[in-house]
Amino acid sequence: MSAPEAIELTGVGQLRHRPRRLRRTSALRRLVREHQLLPSNLVYPLFVRHGQDERRPIASMPGVFQLTIDQLDREADELGQLGIPAVILFGIPAEKDPIGLENFDDNGIVQQALRRLRQSAPDLTLISDVCLCEYTDHGHCGLLNLGDPPPRPHLPPGEVLNDETLELLGRVALSHASAGADVVAPSGMMDGMVAAVRAALDSSAFEHVAILSYAVKYASAFYGPFRHAAESAPQHGDRRSHQMDPANAREALREARLDVEQGADALIVKPALPYLDVLQRVRQAVPDLPLAAYNVSGEYAMLKAAAASGWLDERRAVLEALTSIKRAGADFILTYHAKQAAAWLTEGQPR
Ligand code: PBG
């Protein structure tokens, strides 16, 4: 038996460095904590739909609902109480068509929601998602190369067109700004989308509306539940011709830089947890702009499912996951956990 000898070798007086000294008590741990998750770091996504008096549950996202306009005041109140400063709005249109007409209609569902919240919650920051996929009948993020003749005869039929889509994104952003958006968030990964949105806003005296660009957005399986929530799954094909390849990290820096050059005010990396390395690199490459991470629907669904099965402690797991996103470099986080997390954070600090 050599155990007693081993104890003597590393025994009292032998170790100069003992990191455990600073972990002994809750107060010490709080004192040396490097990153702090706050309710003010959180943005809550809202899904709005036509109709009245409805909170329609989303099966794959327990606790998240599609809301009708009349439900928004109550929601905004709750967010105010919790200290959550911002929402990002997604709309489910009444009807879908090839170009997504409701997307830039003054009476579109997002425009109605913006006007309502602008009135009822003047202190809430209103961010609107600017993309085509929830509004088009084909579910793609841009116009398709279809017709006889198609707009681009030298490109394959059905291809998502870039420059033709930019003009539409500008119209959508302008329409959201007119309805009261503080921030517009182009999410379609079209080349030049930030410049197009900036030009459209500036040409109509909306210089003050900020652009939060989904600069680094991957073609991810983790958007699955969102596509149910927003009823926006592509009817055929996928988004790999415009969203990024999950195998690429260097390319994220290029995407980020291009959006900074085009005038983005803040950037998003999306998804969050499977891409913390990317988040950290973008943070380093763009040290001077606010950086956000989108903790997406699939990340939410995984934790909810595991918690519902009793396989992990939801509160601890959620706060740990969100803290890790801040640690990797995000200033703020778009997350479906926002309300619960904010409530937990105000109840008491993680020990
Ligand atoms: C596009 C958009 C998507 C998400 C946010 N904006 C879906 C997509 O690209 O398919 C996904 C968000 C999530 O999964 O939580 N309008």
Side-chain angles (χ1 to χ4, degrees), residues 79 114 196 203 245 335 339:
L79 295 169
L114 286 165
S203 72
D245 184 337
T335 179
K339 290 200 289 186

Side-chain angles (χ1 to χ4, degrees), residues 129 133-134 187 217 223 226-227 239 243 270 297 336:
D129 189 82
C133 62
E134 292 130 62
S187 66
K217 178 172 175 182
Y223 307 148
F226 173 93
R227 292 180 188 174
R239 304 208 164 131
Q243 298 181 344
K270 177 181 169 190
S297 57
Y336 306 97

Side-chain angles (χ1 to χ4, degrees), residues 51-106:
Q52 273 207 331
D53 228 8
E54 210 184 335
R55 300 175 70 82
R56 189 180 290 200
I58 299 158
S60 51
M61 301 174 71
V64 181
F65 300 82
Q66 294 179 346
L67 304 175
T68 50
I69 299 290
D70 49 274
Q71 301 293 308
L72 294 177
D73 299 353
R74 182 179 131 193
E75 201 70 23
D77 264 2
E78 196 184 344
L79 295 169
Q81 304 271 331
L82 289 165
I84 295 170
V87 292
I88 180 160
L89 291 164
F90 297 97
I92 296 105
E95 275 174 40
K96 304 195 185 213
D97 56 75
I99 67 168
L101 291 168
E102 188 178 322
N103 211 357
F104 44 92
D105 186 325
D106 250 3

Side-chain angles (χ1 to χ4, degrees), residues 140-144 158-162 188-191 219 237-245 251 255:
H140 283 286
C141 303
L143 296 177
L144 301 183
E159 183 130 328
V160 177
L161 296 171
N162 195 85
M189 290 298 279
M190 295 296 117
D191 292 334
D238 55 42
R239 304 208 164 131
R240 284 178 233 230
S241 79
H242 43 290
Q243 298 181 344
M244 282 178 58
D245 184 337
E251 189 189 358
E255 283 285 4

